Amino acid sequence: ADIRESAALRVLEEALSRGAMAVYHDPLMPTLTLAGNTVASVDLAETDLAGLDAVVLLTPHTSIDYDRIVDAARLVIDTHSGLQPRQGANIVNIWVPAPAVPAPVLS
């Protein structure tokens, strides 16, 4: 609910400020206001994923049809491990797994 520190928001703002033609999908945020402009979340079912240069996964949502994205998109960049353990020629995983936490030593 609190998007002030959202990395996804910063990425979208940066892409748009650099002139990219970018859209977003977020089932929890139907609209956003960026630099005074209101933008609306796109419907994934109606979006031509194959026509996009890339799909960047920035926020894990359990309601997203990731299989549809992987099947349709030319390039999928996963930043949050949402696709794990999926692999494919069009998938780039750039997330860093959390370090293993050592088991406590019992005395």
Side-chain angles (χ1 to χ4, degrees):
D2 184 359
I3 62 169
R4 289 176 292 182
E5 299 297 322
S6 170
L9 185 61
R10 291 192 308 271
V11 169
L12 181 58
E13 286 178 319
E14 185 67 23
L16 293 171
S17 75
R18 292 176 180 232
M21 294 175 54
V23 296
Y24 81 97
H25 171 78
D26 189 325
L28 303 177
M29 294 301 298
T31 61
L32 294 171
T33 301
L34 304 170
N37 298 313
T38 299
V39 292
S41 173
V42 298
D43 184 337
L44 284 184
E46 297 175 6
T47 301
D48 177 19
L49 295 172
L52 302 175
D53 291 329
V55 174
V56 182
L57 305 176
L58 295 165
T59 305
H61 288 293
T62 57
S63 63
I64 303 291
D65 185 354
Y66 292 114
D67 289 328
R68 179 178 182 279
I69 293 171
V70 169
D71 290 343
R74 289 189 270 175
L75 174 64
V76 181
I77 302 168
D78 182 10
T79 68
H80 62 71
S81 74
L83 297 179
Q84 188 180 14
R86 294 178 192 90
Q87 294 183 352
N90 65 332
I91 299 173
V92 176
N93 291 303
I94 60 172
W95 53 276
V96 178
V101 177
V105 177
L106 302 175
S107 48

Coordinates of all heavy atoms in Angstrom, one line a residue:
A1 N 0.8 -1.2 0.0 CA 0.0 0.0 0.0 C 0.9 1.3 0.0 O 0.4 2.3 -0.5 CB -0.9 0.0 1.2
D2 N 2.0 1.2 0.6 CA 2.9 2.4 0.6 C 4.0 2.2 -0.5 O 4.9 1.4 -0.4 CB 3.6 2.4 2.0 CG 4.5 3.7 2.2 OD1 4.5 4.5 1.2 OD2 5.0 3.9 3.2
I3 N 3.8 3.1 -1.5 CA 4.7 2.9 -2.7 C 5.9 4.0 -2.6 O 6.6 4.0 -3.6 CB 3.9 3.1 -4.0 CG1 3.3 4.4 -4.1 CG2 2.9 2.0 -4.1 CD1 2.7 4.8 -5.4
R4 N 6.0 4.7 -1.6 CA 7.0 5.8 -1.5 C 8.4 5.3 -1.8 O 9.3 5.9 -2.4 CB 6.9 6.6 -0.2 CG 5.7 7.4 -0.1 CD 5.6 8.1 1.2 NE 5.4 7.0 2.2 CZ 5.3 7.2 3.5 NH1 5.3 8.5 4.0 NH2 5.0 6.3 4.3
E5 N 8.7 4.1 -1.3 CA 10.1 3.5 -1.5 C 10.1 2.4 -2.5 O 11.0 1.6 -2.6 CB 10.6 3.0 -0.1 CG 10.7 4.0 1.0 CD 11.7 5.1 0.7 OE1 12.7 4.8 0.1 OE2 11.4 6.3 1.0
S6 N 9.2 2.4 -3.4 CA 9.0 1.4 -4.4 C 10.1 1.5 -5.5 O 10.2 2.5 -6.2 CB 7.7 1.5 -5.1 OG 7.6 0.6 -6.2
A7 N 10.9 0.4 -5.6 CA 11.9 0.3 -6.6 C 11.2 0.3 -8.0 O 11.7 0.9 -9.0 CB 12.8 -0.9 -6.5
A8 N 10.1 -0.4 -8.1 CA 9.4 -0.4 -9.4 C 9.0 0.9 -9.8 O 9.0 1.3 -11.0 CB 8.2 -1.4 -9.2
L9 N 8.5 1.8 -8.9 CA 8.1 3.1 -9.3 C 9.3 3.9 -9.8 O 9.2 4.6 -10.8 CB 7.5 3.8 -8.0 CG 6.9 5.2 -8.2 CD1 5.8 5.2 -9.3 CD2 6.4 5.7 -6.9
R10 N 10.4 3.8 -9.1 CA 11.6 4.5 -9.6 C 12.1 4.0 -10.9 O 12.5 4.9 -11.8 CB 12.8 4.3 -8.5 CG 12.5 5.1 -7.2 CD 13.7 5.2 -6.3 NE 14.4 3.9 -6.1 CZ 14.0 3.0 -5.1 NH1 13.1 3.3 -4.3 NH2 14.7 1.9 -4.9
V11 N 12.0 2.8 -11.2 CA 12.4 2.2 -12.5 C 11.5 2.8 -13.6 O 11.9 3.2 -14.7 CB 12.4 0.7 -12.5 CG1 12.5 0.1 -13.9 CG2 13.5 0.2 -11.6
L12 N 10.2 2.8 -13.3 CA 9.2 3.3 -14.3 C 9.4 4.8 -14.6 O 9.4 5.2 -15.7 CB 7.8 3.0 -13.8 CG 6.6 3.5 -14.8 CD1 6.8 2.8 -16.1 CD2 5.3 3.1 -14.1
E13 N 9.6 5.5 -13.5 CA 9.8 7.0 -13.6 C 11.1 7.2 -14.5 O 11.1 8.1 -15.4 CB 10.0 7.6 -12.3 CG 8.7 7.8 -11.5 CD 8.9 8.4 -10.2 OE1 9.8 8.1 -9.5 OE2 8.1 9.3 -9.8
E14 N 12.1 6.5 -14.2 CA 13.4 6.7 -14.9 C 13.2 6.3 -16.4 O 13.7 7.0 -17.3 CB 14.5 5.9 -14.3 CG 15.9 6.1 -14.9 CD 16.4 7.5 -14.6 OE1 16.0 8.2 -13.7 OE2 17.3 7.9 -15.4
A15 N 12.6 5.2 -16.7 CA 12.4 4.8 -18.1 C 11.6 5.9 -18.8 O 11.9 6.2 -19.9 CB 11.6 3.5 -18.1
L16 N 10.5 6.3 -18.2 CA 9.7 7.4 -18.9 C 10.5 8.7 -19.1 O 10.4 9.3 -20.1 CB 8.4 7.6 -18.1 CG 7.4 6.4 -18.1 CD1 6.3 6.7 -17.1 CD2 6.9 6.1 -19.5
S17 N 11.2 9.1 -18.1 CA 12.0 10.3 -18.2 C 13.1 10.3 -19.3 O 13.5 11.3 -19.8 CB 12.6 10.7 -16.8 OG 13.8 9.9 -16.6
R18 N 13.5 9.1 -19.6 CA 14.5 8.9 -20.7 C 13.9 8.7 -22.0 O 14.6 8.4 -23.0 CB 15.4 7.7 -20.3 CG 16.3 8.0 -19.1 CD 17.1 6.8 -18.8 NE 18.0 7.0 -17.6 CZ 19.3 6.8 -17.6 NH1 19.9 6.3 -18.7 NH2 20.0 7.1 -16.6
G19 N 12.5 8.8 -22.1 CA 11.9 8.7 -23.4 C 11.4 7.3 -23.7 O 10.9 7.1 -24.9
A20 N 11.5 6.3 -22.8 CA 11.0 5.0 -23.2 C 9.5 5.0 -23.3 O 8.8 5.7 -22.6 CB 11.5 4.0 -22.1
M21 N 9.0 4.1 -24.1 CA 7.6 3.8 -24.2 C 7.4 2.7 -23.2 O 7.6 1.5 -23.6 CB 7.2 3.5 -25.6 CG 7.3 4.7 -26.5 SD 7.0 4.3 -28.2 CE 5.4 3.6 -28.1
A22 N 7.0 3.0 -22.0 CA 6.9 1.9 -20.9 C 5.5 1.9 -20.4 O 4.8 2.9 -20.3 CB 7.9 2.2 -19.8
V23 N 5.0 0.7 -20.1 CA 3.7 0.5 -19.4 C 4.0 -0.4 -18.2 O 5.0 -1.0 -18.1 CB 2.7 -0.2 -20.4 CG1 2.4 0.7 -21.6 CG2 3.2 -1.6 -20.8
Y24 N 3.0 -0.4 -17.3 CA 3.1 -1.3 -16.1 C 1.8 -2.0 -15.9 O 0.8 -1.6 -16.3 CB 3.5 -0.4 -14.9 CG 2.4 0.3 -14.2 CD1 1.8 -0.3 -13.1 CD2 1.9 1.5 -14.7 CE1 0.7 0.3 -12.5 CE2 0.8 2.1 -14.1 CZ 0.2 1.5 -13.0 OH -0.9 2.1 -12.4
H25 N 2.0 -3.1 -15.1 CA 0.9 -3.9 -14.7 C 1.0 -4.1 -13.2 O 2.1 -4.6 -12.8 CB 0.7 -5.2 -15.4 CG -0.3 -6.1 -14.8 ND1 -1.6 -5.9 -15.0 CD2 -0.2 -7.1 -13.9 CE1 -2.3 -6.8 -14.3 NE2 -1.5 -7.6 -13.6
D26 N 0.0 -3.7 -12.4 CA 0.1 -4.0 -11.0 C -1.4 -4.1 -10.5 O -2.1 -3.1 -10.6 CB 0.8 -2.9 -10.2 CG 1.0 -3.2 -8.8 OD1 0.2 -3.9 -8.2 OD2 2.0 -2.8 -8.2
P27 N -1.8 -5.3 -10.1 CA -3.1 -5.5 -9.7 C -3.5 -4.7 -8.4 O -4.7 -4.5 -8.2 CB -3.2 -7.0 -9.4 CG -1.8 -7.5 -9.2 CD -1.0 -6.5 -10.0
L28 N -2.5 -4.2 -7.7 CA -2.8 -3.5 -6.5 C -2.8 -2.0 -6.7 O -3.2 -1.2 -5.8 CB -1.8 -3.9 -5.4 CG -1.8 -5.4 -5.0 CD1 -0.7 -5.6 -4.0 CD2 -3.1 -5.8 -4.5
M29 N -2.3 -1.5 -7.8 CA -2.1 -0.1 -8.1 C -2.7 0.2 -9.5 O -2.0 0.2 -10.4 CB -0.7 0.4 -8.0 CG -0.1 0.3 -6.6 SD -0.9 1.2 -5.3 CE -0.7 2.9 -5.9
P30 N -4.0 0.4 -9.6 CA -4.6 0.6 -10.9 C -4.2 1.9 -11.6 O -4.2 1.9 -12.8 CB -6.1 0.6 -10.6 CG -6.3 0.9 -9.2 CD -5.0 0.4 -8.5
T31 N -3.8 2.9 -10.8 CA -3.2 4.1 -11.4 C -2.1 4.6 -10.6 O -2.0 4.4 -9.4 CB -4.3 5.2 -11.6 OG1 -4.8 5.6 -10.3 CG2 -5.5 4.8 -12.5
L32 N -1.2 5.4 -11.2 CA -0.1 6.0 -10.6 C 0.0 7.5 -11.1 O -0.3 7.7 -12.3 CB 1.2 5.3 -10.9 CG 1.4 3.9 -10.4 CD1 2.7 3.3 -11.0 CD2 1.5 3.9 -8.9
T33 N 0.5 8.4 -10.3 CA 0.8 9.7 -10.8 C 2.3 9.9 -10.8 O 2.9 9.8 -9.7 CB 0.1 10.8 -9.9 OG1 -1.3 10.5 -9.9 CG2 0.4 12.2 -10.4
L34 N 2.8 10.1 -11.9 CA 4.3 10.3 -12.1 C 4.5 11.7 -12.8 O 4.0 11.9 -13.9 CB 4.8 9.2 -13.0 CG 4.6 7.8 -12.5 CD1 5.0 6.8 -13.6 CD2 5.4 7.5 -11.3
A35 N 5.3 12.5 -12.1 CA 5.6 13.8 -12.7 C 4.3 14.6 -13.1 O 4.3 15.2 -14.1 CB 6.6 13.7 -13.8
G36 N 3.3 14.4 -12.3 CA 2.0 15.2 -12.5 C 1.1 14.5 -13.6 O 0.0 15.0 -13.8
N37 N 1.5 13.4 -14.1 CA 0.7 12.7 -15.1 C 0.2 11.4 -14.5 O 1.0 10.6 -13.9 CB 1.5 12.4 -16.4 CG 2.0 13.6 -17.1 OD1 1.2 14.5 -17.3 ND2 3.3 13.6 -17.4
T38 N -1.1 11.1 -14.7 CA -1.7 9.9 -14.2 C -1.5 8.8 -15.3 O -1.9 9.0 -16.5 CB -3.1 10.1 -13.8 OG1 -3.2 11.0 -12.8 CG2 -3.7 8.8 -13.3
V39 N -1.0 7.6 -14.9 CA -0.9 6.5 -15.9 C -1.6 5.3 -15.3 O -1.8 5.2 -14.0 CB 0.6 6.1 -16.1 CG1 1.3 7.2 -16.9 CG2 1.3 5.8 -14.8
A40 N -2.2 4.5 -16.1 CA -3.0 3.4 -15.7 C -2.3 2.1 -15.9 O -1.6 1.9 -16.9 CB -4.3 3.4 -16.4
S41 N -2.5 1.1 -15.0 CA -2.0 -0.2 -15.2 C -2.7 -0.9 -16.4 O -3.9 -0.7 -16.6 CB -2.4 -1.0 -13.9 OG -2.0 -2.4 -14.0
V42 N -1.8 -1.6 -17.2 CA -2.4 -2.3 -18.3 C -2.9 -3.7 -17.9 O -2.4 -4.3 -16.9 CB -1.4 -2.4 -19.5 CG1 -0.9 -1.1 -20.0 CG2 -0.2 -3.3 -19.0
D43 N -3.9 -4.2 -18.7 CA -4.4 -5.5 -18.4 C -3.5 -6.5 -19.2 O -3.4 -6.4 -20.4 CB -5.8 -5.6 -19.0 CG -6.5 -6.9 -18.7 OD1 -5.8 -7.9 -18.5 OD2 -7.8 -6.9 -18.7
L44 N -2.9 -7.4 -18.4 CA -2.0 -8.4 -19.1 C -2.7 -9.2 -20.1 O -2.1 -9.6 -21.1 CB -1.3 -9.3 -18.0 CG -0.2 -8.6 -17.3 CD1 0.5 -9.6 -16.3 CD2 0.9 -8.0 -18.2
A45 N -3.9 -9.6 -19.9 CA -4.7 -10.4 -20.8 C -4.9 -9.7 -22.1 O -5.0 -10.4 -23.2 CB -6.0 -10.8 -20.2
E46 N -4.9 -8.4 -22.1 CA -5.1 -7.6 -23.3 C -3.9 -7.1 -23.9 O -3.9 -6.5 -25.0 CB -6.1 -6.5 -23.0 CG -7.5 -6.9 -22.6 CD -8.4 -5.8 -22.2 OE1 -8.0 -4.6 -22.4 OE2 -9.5 -6.1 -21.7
T47 N -2.7 -7.2 -23.3 CA -1.5 -6.7 -23.7 C -0.8 -7.6 -24.6 O -0.7 -8.8 -24.3 CB -0.6 -6.3 -22.5 OG1 -1.3 -5.4 -21.7 CG2 0.7 -5.7 -22.9
D48 N -0.3 -7.1 -25.8 CA 0.5 -7.9 -26.7 C 1.9 -8.1 -26.2 O 2.8 -7.3 -26.5 CB 0.5 -7.3 -28.1 CG 1.4 -8.0 -29.1 OD1 1.6 -9.2 -28.9 OD2 1.7 -7.4 -30.1
L49 N 2.1 -9.0 -25.3 CA 3.4 -9.2 -24.7 C 4.5 -9.5 -25.7 O 5.7 -9.1 -25.5 CB 3.4 -10.4 -23.7 CG 2.5 -10.1 -22.5 CD1 2.3 -11.4 -21.7 CD2 3.0 -9.0 -21.6
A50 N 4.2 -10.2 -26.8 CA 5.2 -10.4 -27.9 C 5.6 -9.2 -28.5 O 6.7 -9.1 -29.1 CB 4.6 -11.4 -28.9
G51 N 4.8 -8.1 -28.5 CA 5.2 -6.9 -29.1 C 6.0 -6.0 -28.3 O 6.5 -4.9 -28.7
L52 N 6.3 -6.3 -27.0 CA 7.1 -5.5 -26.1 C 8.6 -5.9 -26.3 O 8.9 -7.1 -26.6 CB 6.7 -5.7 -24.7 CG 5.3 -5.4 -24.3 CD1 5.0 -5.8 -22.9 CD2 5.0 -3.9 -24.6
D53 N 9.5 -5.0 -26.1 CA 10.9 -5.3 -26.2 C 11.3 -6.2 -25.0 O 12.1 -7.1 -25.2 CB 11.8 -4.0 -26.2 CG 11.6 -3.2 -27.4 OD1 11.4 -3.8 -28.5 OD2 11.7 -2.0 -27.4
A54 N 10.8 -5.9 -23.8 CA 11.1 -6.7 -22.6 C 10.0 -6.6 -21.6 O 9.3 -5.6 -21.6 CB 12.4 -6.2 -22.1
V55 N 9.9 -7.6 -20.7 CA 9.1 -7.5 -19.6 C 10.0 -7.6 -18.4 O 10.8 -8.5 -18.3 CB 8.1 -8.7 -19.5 CG1 7.3 -8.7 -18.2 CG2 7.1 -8.6 -20.7
V56 N 9.9 -6.6 -17.5 CA 10.8 -6.6 -16.3 C 9.9 -6.8 -15.1 O 9.0 -6.1 -14.8 CB 11.5 -5.2 -16.2 CG1 12.4 -5.2 -15.0 CG2 12.3 -4.8 -17.4
L57 N 10.3 -7.9 -14.4 CA 9.5 -8.3 -13.2 C 10.2 -7.6 -12.0 O 11.3 -8.0 -11.6 CB 9.5 -9.8 -13.0 CG 8.9 -10.6 -14.2 CD1 9.0 -12.1 -14.0 CD2 7.5 -10.2 -14.5
L58 N 9.5 -6.7 -11.3 CA 10.1 -5.9 -10.2 C 9.5 -6.2 -8.9 O 10.1 -6.0 -7.9 CB 10.0 -4.4 -10.5 CG 10.9 -4.0 -11.8 CD1 10.4 -2.6 -12.2 CD2 12.3 -4.0 -11.4
T59 N 8.2 -6.6 -8.9 CA 7.5 -6.9 -7.6 C 6.8 -8.2 -7.7 O 6.1 -8.5 -8.7 CB 6.4 -5.8 -7.4 OG1 7.1 -4.5 -7.5 CG2 5.8 -5.9 -6.1
P60 N 7.0 -9.1 -6.7 CA 6.4 -10.4 -6.8 C 4.9 -10.3 -6.4 O 4.5 -9.7 -5.4 CB 7.1 -11.2 -5.7 CG 7.7 -10.2 -4.8 CD 7.9 -9.0 -5.6
H61 N 4.1 -10.8 -7.3 CA 2.6 -10.9 -7.1 C 2.2 -12.3 -7.3 O 2.5 -12.9 -8.3 CB 1.8 -9.9 -8.0 CG 2.0 -8.5 -7.7 ND1 1.5 -7.9 -6.6 CD2 2.6 -7.5 -8.4 CE1 1.8 -6.6 -6.6 NE2 2.4 -6.3 -7.7
T62 N 1.4 -12.8 -6.4 CA 0.9 -14.2 -6.6 C -0.2 -14.4 -7.6 O -0.4 -15.5 -8.1 CB 0.5 -14.8 -5.2 OG1 -0.6 -13.9 -4.7 CG2 1.6 -14.9 -4.2
S63 N -0.8 -13.3 -8.0 CA -1.9 -13.3 -8.9 C -1.5 -13.2 -10.4 O -2.3 -13.2 -11.3 CB -2.9 -12.2 -8.6 OG -2.4 -11.0 -8.8
I64 N -0.2 -13.1 -10.7 CA 0.3 -12.9 -12.0 C 0.5 -14.2 -12.7 O 1.0 -15.2 -12.1 CB 1.7 -12.1 -12.0 CG1 1.5 -10.8 -11.3 CG2 2.2 -12.0 -13.4 CD1 0.7 -9.8 -12.0
D65 N 0.1 -14.3 -14.0 CA 0.2 -15.5 -14.8 C 1.6 -15.5 -15.4 O 1.8 -15.1 -16.6 CB -0.8 -15.6 -15.9 CG -0.8 -16.9 -16.7 OD1 0.2 -17.7 -16.5 OD2 -1.7 -17.1 -17.5
Y66 N 2.6 -15.9 -14.6 CA 4.0 -15.9 -15.1 C 4.3 -16.8 -16.3 O 5.1 -16.5 -17.2 CB 5.0 -16.2 -14.0 CG 5.0 -15.1 -12.9 CD1 4.6 -15.4 -11.6 CD2 5.5 -13.9 -13.2 CE1 4.6 -14.4 -10.6 CE2 5.5 -12.9 -12.2 CZ 5.1 -13.2 -10.9 OH 5.1 -12.2 -9.9
D67 N 3.6 -17.9 -16.4 CA 3.7 -18.8 -17.5 C 3.3 -18.1 -18.8 O 4.0 -18.3 -19.8 CB 2.9 -20.1 -17.3 CG 3.5 -21.0 -16.2 OD1 4.7 -21.0 -16.1 OD2 2.7 -21.7 -15.6
R68 N 2.2 -17.3 -18.8 CA 1.8 -16.6 -20.0 C 2.9 -15.6 -20.4 O 3.2 -15.4 -21.6 CB 0.5 -15.9 -19.7 CG 0.0 -15.1 -20.9 CD -1.3 -14.4 -20.7 NE -1.8 -13.7 -21.8 CZ -1.4 -12.5 -22.2 NH1 -0.5 -11.9 -21.4 NH2 -1.8 -11.9 -23.3
I69 N 3.5 -14.9 -19.4 CA 4.5 -13.9 -19.7 C 5.7 -14.6 -20.4 O 6.2 -14.2 -21.4 CB 4.9 -13.2 -18.4 CG1 3.8 -12.3 -17.9 CG2 6.2 -12.3 -18.7 CD1 4.0 -11.7 -16.6
V70 N 6.2 -15.7 -19.8 CA 7.3 -16.4 -20.3 C 7.1 -16.9 -21.7 O 7.9 -16.9 -22.6 CB 7.8 -17.5 -19.3 CG1 8.8 -18.4 -20.0 CG2 8.3 -16.9 -18.0
D71 N 5.9 -17.5 -21.9 CA 5.5 -18.0 -23.2 C 5.4 -17.0 -24.3 O 5.7 -17.2 -25.4 CB 4.2 -18.8 -23.1 CG 4.3 -20.1 -22.3 OD1 5.4 -20.6 -22.1 OD2 3.3 -20.6 -21.9
A72 N 5.0 -15.8 -23.9 CA 4.7 -14.7 -25.0 C 5.8 -13.7 -25.1 O 6.0 -13.2 -26.2 CB 3.4 -14.0 -24.6
A73 N 6.5 -13.4 -24.1 CA 7.5 -12.3 -24.2 C 8.8 -12.7 -24.8 O 9.2 -13.8 -24.7 CB 7.7 -11.7 -22.8
R74 N 9.4 -11.7 -25.5 CA 10.7 -11.9 -26.2 C 11.8 -12.0 -25.1 O 12.7 -12.8 -25.3 CB 11.0 -10.8 -27.2 CG 10.1 -10.9 -28.4 CD 10.7 -9.9 -29.4 NE 10.0 -8.6 -29.2 CZ 10.3 -7.5 -29.9 NH1 11.3 -7.6 -30.8 NH2 9.7 -6.4 -29.7
L75 N 11.7 -11.2 -24.1 CA 12.7 -11.1 -23.1 C 12.0 -10.9 -21.7 O 11.2 -10.0 -21.6 CB 13.7 -10.0 -23.4 CG 14.8 -9.7 -22.3 CD1 15.7 -10.9 -22.1 CD2 15.6 -8.4 -22.7
V76 N 12.4 -11.7 -20.7 CA 11.8 -11.5 -19.4 C 13.0 -11.3 -18.4 O 13.9 -12.2 -18.3 CB 11.0 -12.7 -19.0 CG1 10.4 -12.5 -17.6 CG2 9.9 -13.0 -20.0
I77 N 13.0 -10.2 -17.8 CA 14.1 -9.9 -16.8 C 13.5 -10.0 -15.4 O 12.6 -9.2 -15.0 CB 14.7 -8.5 -17.0 CG1 15.2 -8.4 -18.5 CG2 15.8 -8.2 -16.0 CD1 15.6 -7.0 -18.9
D78 N 13.9 -11.0 -14.7 CA 13.4 -11.3 -13.3 C 14.3 -10.7 -12.3 O 15.4 -11.2 -12.1 CB 13.2 -12.8 -13.2 CG 12.6 -13.2 -11.9 OD1 12.1 -12.3 -11.1 OD2 12.6 -14.4 -11.6
T79 N 13.8 -9.7 -11.5 CA 14.6 -9.1 -10.5 C 14.3 -9.6 -9.1 O 14.9 -9.1 -8.1 CB 14.5 -7.6 -10.5 OG1 13.2 -7.2 -10.1 CG2 14.8 -7.0 -11.9
H80 N 13.3 -10.5 -9.0 CA 12.8 -10.8 -7.6 C 12.7 -12.3 -7.4 O 12.0 -12.7 -6.4 CB 11.6 -10.1 -7.3 CG 10.4 -10.4 -8.2 ND1 9.8 -11.6 -8.1 CD2 9.8 -9.7 -9.1 CE1 8.8 -11.7 -9.1 NE2 8.8 -10.5 -9.7
S81 N 13.1 -13.1 -8.3 CA 13.1 -14.6 -8.2 C 11.6 -15.1 -8.4 O 11.4 -16.3 -8.1 CB 13.7 -15.2 -7.0 OG 12.8 -14.9 -5.8
G82 N 10.8 -14.4 -9.0 CA 9.4 -14.8 -9.2 C 9.3 -16.0 -10.2 O 8.3 -16.7 -10.2
L83 N 10.3 -16.1 -11.0 CA 10.2 -17.2 -12.0 C 11.0 -18.4 -11.6 O 10.9 -19.5 -12.3 CB 10.9 -16.7 -13.4 CG 10.1 -15.6 -14.0 CD1 10.8 -15.2 -15.3 CD2 8.7 -15.9 -14.3
Q84 N 11.6 -18.4 -10.5 CA 12.4 -19.5 -10.0 C 11.4 -20.7 -9.8 O 10.4 -20.5 -9.2 CB 13.1 -19.2 -8.7 CG 14.1 -20.3 -8.3 CD 14.8 -20.0 -7.0 OE1 14.4 -19.1 -6.3 NE2 15.8 -20.7 -6.7
P85 N 11.7 -21.9 -10.3 CA 12.9 -22.3 -10.9 C 12.8 -22.3 -12.5 O 13.6 -23.1 -13.1 CB 13.0 -23.8 -10.4 CG 11.5 -24.2 -10.4 CD 10.8 -23.0 -10.0
R86 N 11.9 -21.6 -13.1 CA 11.8 -21.6 -14.5 C 13.1 -21.1 -15.2 O 13.7 -20.2 -14.7 CB 10.7 -20.7 -15.0 CG 9.3 -21.1 -14.6 CD 8.3 -20.1 -15.1 NE 7.0 -20.3 -14.6 CZ 6.5 -19.7 -13.4 NH1 7.3 -19.0 -12.7 NH2 5.3 -19.9 -13.0
Q87 N 13.4 -21.7 -16.3 CA 14.5 -21.3 -17.1 C 14.1 -21.3 -18.6 O 13.2 -22.0 -18.9 CB 15.7 -22.2 -16.9 CG 16.3 -22.2 -15.5 CD 17.5 -23.1 -15.4 OE1 17.9 -23.8 -16.3 NE2 18.2 -23.0 -14.3
G88 N 14.7 -20.4 -19.3 CA 14.4 -20.4 -20.8 C 15.3 -19.5 -21.5 O 16.0 -18.6 -20.9
A89 N 15.3 -19.6 -22.8 CA 16.2 -18.7 -23.6 C 15.9 -17.3 -23.5 O 16.7 -16.4 -23.7 CB 16.1 -19.2 -25.1
N90 N 14.6 -16.9 -23.1 CA 14.2 -15.6 -23.0 C 14.2 -15.0 -21.6 O 13.7 -13.9 -21.4 CB 12.8 -15.4 -23.7 CG 11.7 -16.1 -22.9 OD1 12.0 -17.2 -22.2 ND2 10.5 -15.7 -23.0
I91 N 14.7 -15.8 -20.6 CA 14.7 -15.4 -19.2 C 16.1 -15.0 -18.8 O 17.0 -15.7 -19.0 CB 14.1 -16.5 -18.3 CG1 12.7 -16.9 -18.7 CG2 14.2 -16.1 -16.9 CD1 12.2 -18.1 -18.0
V92 N 16.1 -13.8 -18.2 CA 17.4 -13.3 -17.5 C 17.1 -13.1 -16.0 O 16.2 -12.4 -15.7 CB 17.9 -12.0 -18.1 CG1 19.1 -11.5 -17.4 CG2 18.1 -12.2 -19.6
N93 N 17.7 -13.9 -15.2 CA 17.6 -13.7 -13.7 C 18.7 -12.9 -13.2 O 19.9 -13.2 -13.4 CB 17.6 -15.1 -13.1 CG 16.5 -16.0 -13.4 OD1 15.3 -15.6 -13.2 ND2 16.7 -17.1 -14.0
I94 N 18.3 -11.7 -12.6 CA 19.3 -10.8 -12.1 C 19.2 -10.6 -10.6 O 19.8 -9.8 -10.0 CB 19.4 -9.5 -12.8 CG1 18.0 -8.7 -12.7 CG2 19.7 -9.6 -14.3 CD1 18.0 -7.3 -13.2
W95 N 18.4 -11.4 -10.0 CA 18.2 -11.4 -8.5 C 19.4 -12.1 -7.8 O 20.0 -13.0 -8.4 CB 16.9 -11.9 -8.1 CG 16.6 -13.3 -8.6 CD1 16.1 -13.7 -9.8 CD2 16.9 -14.6 -7.9 NE1 16.1 -15.0 -10.0 CE2 16.6 -15.6 -8.8 CE3 17.4 -14.9 -6.7 CZ2 16.7 -16.9 -8.5 CZ3 17.6 -16.2 -6.4 CH2 17.2 -17.2 -7.3
V96 N 19.6 -11.7 -6.6 CA 20.7 -12.3 -5.8 C 20.0 -13.1 -4.7 O 19.2 -12.5 -3.9 CB 21.6 -11.2 -5.2 CG1 22.6 -11.8 -4.3 CG2 22.2 -10.3 -6.3
P97 N 20.2 -14.4 -4.7 CA 19.6 -15.2 -3.6 C 20.1 -14.7 -2.2 O 21.2 -14.3 -2.1 CB 20.2 -16.6 -3.9 CG 20.7 -16.6 -5.3 CD 21.1 -15.2 -5.6
A98 N 19.2 -14.8 -1.3 CA 19.5 -14.5 0.1 C 20.6 -15.4 0.6 O 20.6 -16.6 0.3 CB 18.3 -14.6 1.0
P99 N 21.6 -14.9 1.4 CA 22.6 -15.8 1.9 C 22.0 -16.8 2.9 O 21.0 -16.5 3.6 CB 23.6 -14.8 2.6 CG 22.8 -13.6 2.9 CD 21.7 -13.5 1.8
A100 N 22.6 -18.0 2.9 CA 22.2 -19.0 3.8 C 22.5 -18.6 5.2 O 23.5 -18.0 5.5 CB 22.9 -20.3 3.5
V101 N 21.5 -18.8 6.1 CA 21.7 -18.5 7.5 C 22.2 -19.7 8.2 O 21.6 -20.7 8.1 CB 20.3 -18.0 8.1 CG1 20.5 -17.7 9.6 CG2 19.8 -16.8 7.3
P102 N 23.3 -19.6 8.8 CA 23.9 -20.8 9.5 C 22.9 -21.2 10.7 O 22.3 -20.4 11.3 CB 25.2 -20.3 10.1 CG 25.2 -18.8 10.0 CD 24.2 -18.4 9.0
A103 N 22.9 -22.5 10.8 CA 22.0 -23.1 11.9 C 22.7 -22.7 13.3 O 23.9 -22.6 13.4 CB 22.0 -24.6 11.8
P104 N 21.8 -22.4 14.2 CA 22.4 -22.0 15.5 C 23.1 -23.2 16.2 O 22.7 -24.4 15.9 CB 21.1 -21.7 16.4 CG 20.0 -22.3 15.6 CD 20.4 -22.4 14.2
V105 N 24.1 -22.9 16.9 CA 24.9 -23.9 17.6 C 24.2 -24.1 18.9 O 24.1 -23.2 19.7 CB 26.3 -23.5 17.7 CG1 27.1 -24.5 18.5 CG2 27.0 -23.2 16.4
L106 N 23.8 -25.4 19.2 CA 23.2 -25.7 20.5 C 24.3 -26.3 21.4 O 25.1 -27.1 21.0 CB 22.1 -26.7 20.3 CG 21.0 -26.3 19.3 CD1 20.1 -27.5 19.1 CD2 20.3 -25.1 19.9
S107 N 24.3 -25.8 22.6 CA 25.3 -26.3 23.5 C 24.7 -27.0 24.7 O 23.5 -27.1 24.9 CB 26.1 -25.1 24.1 OG 25.3 -24.1 24.6

